[in-house]
Amino acid sequence: MPDNYLELIFAWLLCVFQVSFYAYILGTLFSYVVKKDDNAEQFRKSMTAIDSYCQNRSLPPDLTNSLKAYLHYQLKRNKQNNNQAVVAKLPNTLLGKVATFKFSGVVMRSEIFKSVPHEFVNSFLEVLSTRYLMPNE
């Protein structure tokens, strides 16, 4: 309990400071918790728009599913494009190791590459690129 006015003013200022500090910390934490992913929100809006478009035009279910599959494909491709920016910064030796890890099993199962030296296969794997195909087609 404060004995004089100076202690009372100090205690009052300290309480105001603590309340404002805790409010700032809680506000920051809540903003991180509530923060929405912009890409996911855009995807949900696109899916809702596709649903209403298909219903308004009485499109058949297989065509509706194809449109939705295309949106899923675009979402995955956008995520992979973000990964490509990270991969582009890697040195060629690490890119070669990643390509060897990803594709060597598939390539070595082919009859063409069974008698080829391993160094050639590694060089071949470094120049391979991923190709995207539309789903459900």
Side-chain angles (χ1 to χ4, degrees):
M1 192 76 180
D3 292 332
N4 56 30
Y5 286 112
L6 185 62
E7 290 179 2
L8 182 65
I9 292 172
F10 179 73
W12 185 78
L13 289 175
L14 187 63
C15 286
V16 168
F17 175 75
Q18 287 179 340
V19 166
S20 61
F21 182 71
Y22 289 142
Y24 172 75
I25 288 183
L26 287 176
T28 304
L29 289 176
F30 286 143
S31 71
Y32 286 131
V33 169
V34 176
K35 183 179 178 182
K36 294 182 180 179
D37 184 19
D38 293 333
N39 291 337
E41 188 67 28
Q42 175 99 18
F43 177 72
R44 279 189 222 106
K45 286 180 182 178
S46 298
M47 288 299 277
T48 304
I50 287 290
D51 283 337
S52 65
Y53 177 82
C54 292
Q55 287 176 353
N56 290 339
R57 289 174 176 64
S58 301
L59 296 178
D62 59 335
L63 185 56
T64 303
N65 291 336
S66 295
L67 291 172
K68 289 180 182 181
Y70 180 74
L71 283 179
H72 281 286
Y73 162 73
Q74 288 292 334
L75 179 68
K76 287 180 184 178
R77 196 177 107 204
N78 287 340
K79 286 182 182 179
Q80 289 177 350
N81 284 343
N82 292 341
N83 291 340
Q84 292 297 332
V86 173
V87 170
K89 296 178 184 177
L90 294 175
N92 289 338
T93 54
L94 288 178
L95 288 175
K97 289 180 182 180
V98 169
T100 302
F101 175 76
K102 283 176 58 179
F103 303 118
S104 65
V106 175
V107 171
M108 293 308 284
R109 278 187 252 145
S110 173
E111 292 293 324
I112 298 171
F113 293 104
K114 286 191 177 179
S115 62
V116 176
H118 191 65
E119 291 80 18
F120 175 77
V121 173
N122 287 341
S123 298
F124 177 73
L125 290 173
E126 288 178 13
V127 297
L128 282 181
S129 63
T130 306
R131 191 171 275 194
Y132 298 102
L133 301 174
M134 281 297 298
N136 299 331
E137 287 193 17

